[in-house]
Amino acid sequence: MTRLPSKRHFAILLLFPGCLLWSASVLAVEKVRVMALFADKAMLQIDGKQRLLRAGQKSPEGVLLVSADANGAVIEVNGKRDSYSLGSQVGGHFAQRHMAEVKIWADNRGSYNTMGSINGRMVDMLVDTGATTIAMSEVEAKRLGIPYRIRGETTGVRTASGFAKAYAITLDQVQVGELALQQVEAVVVEGNSPHRVLLGMSFLSRVKMEHKGTLMVLQSKF
């Protein structure tokens, strides 16, 4: 005579497949990108879905935000914990980080121009390896809403026209393509020059820079 499984056995059989499905969902995470950073919170893009997580909170996909601040986030997936900056990306079942890269072609005068953003606002930039820091005119700083006279330190810079009064400041964020850096030194020069923001070494020294003919390639340092 064949014995039928007890109700308890049925409960175990029904529960076990559900556990397998949940585990498969966690392991299926392909890509995570840090979209925004806040104090103890971070906006992550997980397989194309936006997730705002608080420190200590785990997403439905199984991604845990350990901690976060304006400089970066500590993220844990399947027991692997690491630190990530704004804009950084992880893919391929978290085997390696995505290397953020920007390609800038020289114009007919040999200048490298690109669009970027300062504190979240779009700006036209000229790559200038001869500039110690990022430099912008007083006119541009006002457009960007930077309180340079209040927060800046009075200094001076040498320009093509001679010596000019300037204000040394620290920018909250500077981004070019996927490359985003926090707390970047800059100067605001009195008047309307330079006409474009000069992307100087305070930014360029913190990324990898390579020339390939008329192509300049900037990559993140991890």
Side-chain angles (χ1 to χ4, degrees), residues 86-102:
L86 182 67
S88 62
Q89 182 172 294
V90 187
H93 294 291
F94 299 85
Q96 61 182 8
R97 294 193 187 188
H98 170 74
M99 182 68 74
E101 182 179 273
V102 178

Side-chain angles (χ1 to χ4, degrees), residues 44-176:
L44 305 180
Q45 187 179 71
I46 305 173
D47 288 346
K49 296 179 180 179
Q50 300 278 3
R51 303 290 191 193
L52 179 61
L53 301 180
R54 294 183 178 274
Q57 183 180 2
K58 183 178 288 188
S59 77
E61 296 82 8
V63 177
L64 172 66
L65 179 66
V66 179
S67 63
D69 57 28
N71 298 313
V74 177
I75 302 171
E76 182 178 299
V77 179
N78 297 335
K80 295 181 179 180
R81 184 177 298 190
D82 210 341
S83 300
Y84 303 94
S85 59
L86 182 67
S88 62
Q89 182 172 294
V90 187
H93 294 291
F94 299 85
Q96 61 182 8
R97 294 193 187 188
H98 170 74
M99 182 68 74
E101 182 179 273
V102 178
K103 295 180 179 180
I104 307 172
W105 294 91
D107 61 19
N108 55 10
R109 293 177 297 178
S111 298
Y112 294 89
N113 301 289
T114 185
M115 291 300 296
S117 68
I118 292 177
N119 297 348
R121 300 193 66 175
M122 298 298 294
V123 293
D124 186 16
M125 296 179 170
L126 170 65
V127 178
D128 188 350
T129 56
T132 305
T133 68
I134 289 176
M136 70 184 74
S137 69
E138 192 175 32
V139 174
E140 186 69 9
K142 289 177 180 178
R143 185 186 73 83
L144 295 171
I146 298 173
Y148 60 94
R149 290 184 180 273
I150 299 173
R151 298 183 182 177
E153 182 179 342
T154 304
T155 183
V157 295
R158 290 195 176 276
T159 68
S161 303
F163 191 80
K165 184 178 179 181
Y167 298 85
I169 59 171
T170 300
L171 303 172
D172 294 335
Q173 182 190 59
V174 179
Q175 183 163 351
V176 180

